[in-house]
Amino acid sequence: MSDYNFAYLDEQTKRMIRRAILKGIAIPGYQVPFASREMPMPYGWGTGGVQVTAACLTPDDTLKVIDQGADDTTNAVSIRKFFQRTAQVATTEKTGKASVIQTRHRIPEEPLREDQILVYQVPIPEPLRFLEPRETETRKMHALEEYGLMHVKLYEDIARHGHIATAYAYPVKVEGRYVMDPSPIPKFDNPKLESAAIQLFGAGREQRIYAIPPFTRVVSLDFEDHPFEASKAAHPCDLCGATHSYLDEVITDDAGGRMFVCSDTDYCTTRQEAGHRGRLSPQEDAA
Amino acid sequence: MTAPITPLLSVRDLRKTYGHRIGCADVGFDLYPGEVLGIVGESGSGKSTLLSCLAGHLEPDQGEVVFDTRADGPRDTRRMSEPERRMLGRTDWAFVHQHARDGLRMGVSAGGNVGERLMAVGARNYGNIRNEAIDWLGRVEIDETRVDDRPSAFSGGMQQRLQIARNLVTGPRLVFMDEPTGGLDVSVQARLLDLLRGLVRDMGLSAIIVTHDLAVVRLLAHRLMVMKSGHVVEHGLTDQVLDDPQHSYTQLLVSSILQV
Ligand SMILES: Nc1ncnc2c1ncn2[C@@H]1O[C@H](COP(=O)(O)OP(=O)(O)OP(=O)(O)O)[C@@H](O)[C@H]1O
Ligand SMILES: [Mg+2]
């Protein structure tokens, strides 16, 4: 039992957020201001994503929450519990079974479908903020499509590191118009931003919502002579042997031992269950 | 020198007030391609106000600022849409601020500062952008080994030269400068003036230079406008105005400099 309205927020607030979401979908990549509400969790814990999820959920939904690809981190667990308690929705760890997925820092490896919604938690929605702190000016730059500054940032990267060193929150241009911060996902995930699912981005502290509608063109910014690369560690997963999934490096002992494992836990377990093996998979018992 | 028929910039009846106070009023002049116009006058006489109105940074109360655009010929910049005006601001126009830090991105390398305007108009080849930036650093006498340093590591004179390079890299046709040598040591000023004179001559730039310093206009400006209390009190060829000032205020200005 719960004393809350369904999914915690009152209907008035959810309507307001849905209007912002619809506007965001109508103008792909455009940051729509919204009146972010106080949530029973601190900023930085995904209050923007939580409000977007709350506005999207219906009683029939199945919710999955991931943090850096894992379903069992404190952040993911507490958000999942929050919606179990306030919306009594079913939850899952299986990407394919979820209708709504709230995420921080990753896009699931398994391609998403048209009947799924991916909700991102966003700390800083403004991709131009790094070089232009004035909000009035960045708004104008978006309005007038003045995006040269974005390339100045990439130029600085190459000048300093010899290559584009930006590895997370790599800026993209959406449907040939708005430049957007995809939230701190690894650039490896950028190609997955072109998806069949609806992608919604919520920034709580900064009070912005933006969206990528299904099958929208999303291009990662780059230079002709330094083209974008969706790079990852050059290893297969040590547990499931996957060669094209994003890997976390795990230190295994204090003698320099380390292993690489899929950051998407569901993807990795599903592959292991299907019989895939990696370098460090436990030896099978001869049954 | 035969003047072309179409002025590059044509200003008519320009006026800007701040409440009851006059910023500038009744200003009109023509600037022809390749010409450098100096604007002098005491503090508070309206020089910066006028320059800001011309460059579109301030909205004048009335008047016309007609610029001879590459694409469509003479157009009143006040009637342009904001995107058009901002596009002019990073292509055919340049603005050199008195304080270099107002015109530079202090958190960005010298190369990035110079390259910004190129990227703003669509340059997308890193190697070309960098080479052009290095070329421009050379033209303003900054060693190419400094290309990756931030302007905060530069002296005042270097910062000002960097600001000039950053502005000129897209080959603008009209440069606005507000006290470009202000706040610099005398010896540094002299070097900067030399440099500016060379660039203006080599690139055939048209420029409007606001200054307190009659030495600056003597060296750079073909024509001179003297302002007092927001109004132009004298206007003519630089040498004529300085050597034979007609207005009593100009006479005072010239003699006060000579006394120094
Ligand atoms: N933002 C403002 N608000 C109100 N009054 C202003 C403003 N800016 C300038 N003024 C007034 O307008 C007049 C012209 O100022 P302006 O800054 O154009 O002079 P200036 O010739 O550039 O002076 P300086 O040589 O000191 O830079 C002055 O009386 C000034 O006090
Ligand atoms: Mg001034």
Side-chain angles (χ1 to χ4, degrees), chain B residues 137-246:
Chain B
L137 290 185
R139 291 167 79 164
V140 298
E141 299 164 13
I142 295 175
D143 196 274
E144 77 168 81
T145 58
R146 307 300 301 268
V147 65
D148 293 329
D149 292 349
R150 297 200 172 168
S152 44
F154 288 5
S155 69
M158 281 170 80
Q159 287 183 4
Q160 198 57 299
R161 280 179 275 136
L162 179 63
Q163 191 194 183
I164 289 164
R166 167 181 160 86
N167 270 283
L168 297 189
V169 66
T170 46
R173 291 191 295 153
L174 177 55
V175 185
F176 302 98
M177 299 190 219
D178 196 352
E179 308 263 9
T181 59
L184 298 176
D185 291 346
V186 178
S187 64
V188 178
Q189 274 189 22
R191 183 167 171 209
L192 186 68
L193 277 178
D194 245 20
L195 183 86
L196 271 176
R197 191 161 62 154
L199 287 170
V200 162
R201 193 185 46 218
D202 297 347
M203 298 178 73
L205 286 176
S206 310
I208 300 181
I209 301 181
V210 159
T211 179
H212 272 90
D213 188 345
L214 293 187
V216 172
V217 291
R218 173 86 76 182
L219 206 62
L220 287 178
H222 304 113
R223 278 192 302 137
L224 188 57
M225 245 164 54
V226 182
M227 291 188 74
K228 182 180 189 305
S229 314
H231 292 261
V232 177
V233 294
E234 190 155 352
H235 184 183
L237 293 174
T238 303
D239 291 343
Q240 266 172 26
V241 173
L242 292 185
D243 297 341
D244 185 20
Q246 299 300 303

Side-chain angles (χ1 to χ4, degrees), chain B residues 18 21-23 41-50 98 178-179 210 212:
Chain B
Y18 302 100
R21 183 178 298 137
I22 289 177
E42 65 192 357
S43 192
S45 57
K47 307 181 296 291
S48 295
T49 300
L50 172 59
Q98 170 172 1
D178 196 352
E179 308 263 9
V210 159
H212 272 90

Side-chain angles (χ1 to χ4, degrees), chain B:
Chain B
M1 190 173 124
T2 51
I5 306 138
T6 314
L8 186 63
L9 193 74
S10 192
V11 179
R12 292 289 173 271
D13 195 22
L14 200 69
R15 178 186 186 86
K16 169 73 189 173
T17 53
Y18 302 100
H20 295 298
R21 183 178 298 137
I22 289 177
C24 64
D26 306 321
V27 179
F29 64 89
D30 289 330
L31 181 78
Y32 287 92
E35 220 179 8
V36 177
L37 173 68
I39 302 177
V40 296
E42 65 192 357
S43 192
S45 57
K47 307 181 296 291
S48 295
T49 300
L50 172 59
L51 200 70
S52 298
C53 287
L54 298 177
H57 298 171
L58 269 183
E59 172 79 18
D61 304 334
Q62 66 169 57
E64 280 180 8
V65 179
V66 177
F67 179 70
D68 186 18
T69 63
R70 284 186 213 234
D72 307 314
R75 289 190 54 197
D76 188 349
T77 57
R78 292 188 57 207
R79 299 233 177 84
M80 285 181 180
S81 66
E82 194 180 12
E84 284 180 299
R85 218 173 15 235
R86 282 173 70 109
M87 181 56 107
L88 259 192
R90 54 180 198 271
T91 52
D92 264 355
W93 287 6
F95 197 103
V96 177
H97 295 263
Q98 170 172 1
H99 301 289
R101 51 182 57 239
D102 294 336
L104 291 173
R105 292 197 188 275
M106 299 305 283
V108 167
S109 69
N113 263 289
V114 179
E116 179 174 348
R117 273 169 80 113
L118 296 171
M119 292 181 250
V121 296
R124 291 293 178 265
N125 186 295
Y126 174 83
N128 294 348
I129 294 165
R130 189 173 177 80
N131 287 339
E132 192 137 356
I134 287 172
D135 179 51
W136 264 98
L137 290 185
R139 291 167 79 164
V140 298
E141 299 164 13
I142 295 175
D143 196 274
E144 77 168 81
T145 58
R146 307 300 301 268
V147 65
D148 293 329
D149 292 349
R150 297 200 172 168
S152 44
F154 288 5
S155 69
M158 281 170 80
Q159 287 183 4
Q160 198 57 299
R161 280 179 275 136
L162 179 63
Q163 191 194 183
I164 289 164
R166 167 181 160 86
N167 270 283
L168 297 189
V169 66
T170 46
R173 291 191 295 153
L174 177 55
V175 185
F176 302 98
M177 299 190 219
D178 196 352
E179 308 263 9
T181 59
L184 298 176
D185 291 346
V186 178
S187 64
V188 178
Q189 274 189 22
R191 183 167 171 209
L192 186 68
L193 277 178
D194 245 20
L195 183 86
L196 271 176
R197 191 161 62 154
L199 287 170
V200 162
R201 193 185 46 218
D202 297 347
M203 298 178 73
L205 286 176
S206 310
I208 300 181
I209 301 181
V210 159
T211 179
H212 272 90
D213 188 345
L214 293 187
V216 172
V217 291
R218 173 86 76 182
L219 206 62
L220 287 178
H222 304 113
R223 278 192 302 137
L224 188 57
M225 245 164 54
V226 182
M227 291 188 74
K228 182 180 189 305
S229 314
H231 292 261
V232 177
V233 294
E234 190 155 352
H235 184 183
L237 293 174
T238 303
D239 291 343
Q240 266 172 26
V241 173
L242 292 185
D243 297 341
D244 185 20
Q246 299 300 303
H247 194 278
S248 56
Y249 175 72
T250 315
Q251 289 164 0
L252 199 68
L253 206 67
V254 171
S255 63
S256 68
I257 290 298
L258 292 179
Q259 280 162 15
V260 172

Side-chain angles (χ1 to χ4, degrees), chain A residues 97-215:
Chain A
K97 294 231 167 69
S99 56
V100 177
I101 302 172
Q102 178 166 334
T103 182
R104 173 173 173 267
H105 292 192
R106 277 308 312 276
I107 298 178
E109 302 290 355
E110 183 179 329
L112 300 179
R113 300 181 313 261
E114 292 182 36
D115 59 346
Q116 294 180 303
I117 298 176
L118 182 60
V119 178
Y120 296 77
Q121 301 171 198
V122 180
I124 298 167
E126 180 48 72
L128 298 160
R129 177 73 45 86
F130 171 73
L131 291 170
E132 179 53 74
R134 289 170 299 175
E135 162 99 22
T136 48
E137 190 61 18
T138 54
R139 269 197 216 192
K140 199 164 273 182
M141 289 168 152
H142 283 293
L144 303 179
E145 254 182 293
E146 292 179 1
Y147 289 130
L149 205 50
M150 232 36 262
H151 274 86
V152 173
K153 182 168 184 272
L154 299 179
Y155 172 96
E156 291 292 291
D157 246 19
I158 304 173
R160 210 165 310 148
H161 307 284
H163 60 102
I164 299 180
T166 300
Y168 295 90
Y170 193 104
V172 295
K173 194 164 206 180
V174 181
E175 201 61 21
R177 177 58 180 83
Y178 284 97
V179 166
M180 191 195 94
D181 183 329
S183 87
I185 57 173
K187 66 178 176 178
F188 173 79
D189 281 344
N190 272 24
K192 295 194 219 109
L193 291 163
E194 291 192 340
S195 170
I198 293 179
Q199 298 173 82
L200 306 175
F201 299 78
R205 185 182 34 224
E206 306 258 344
Q207 316 211 57
R208 292 288 185 278
I209 285 171
Y210 50 101
I212 304 178
F215 306 109

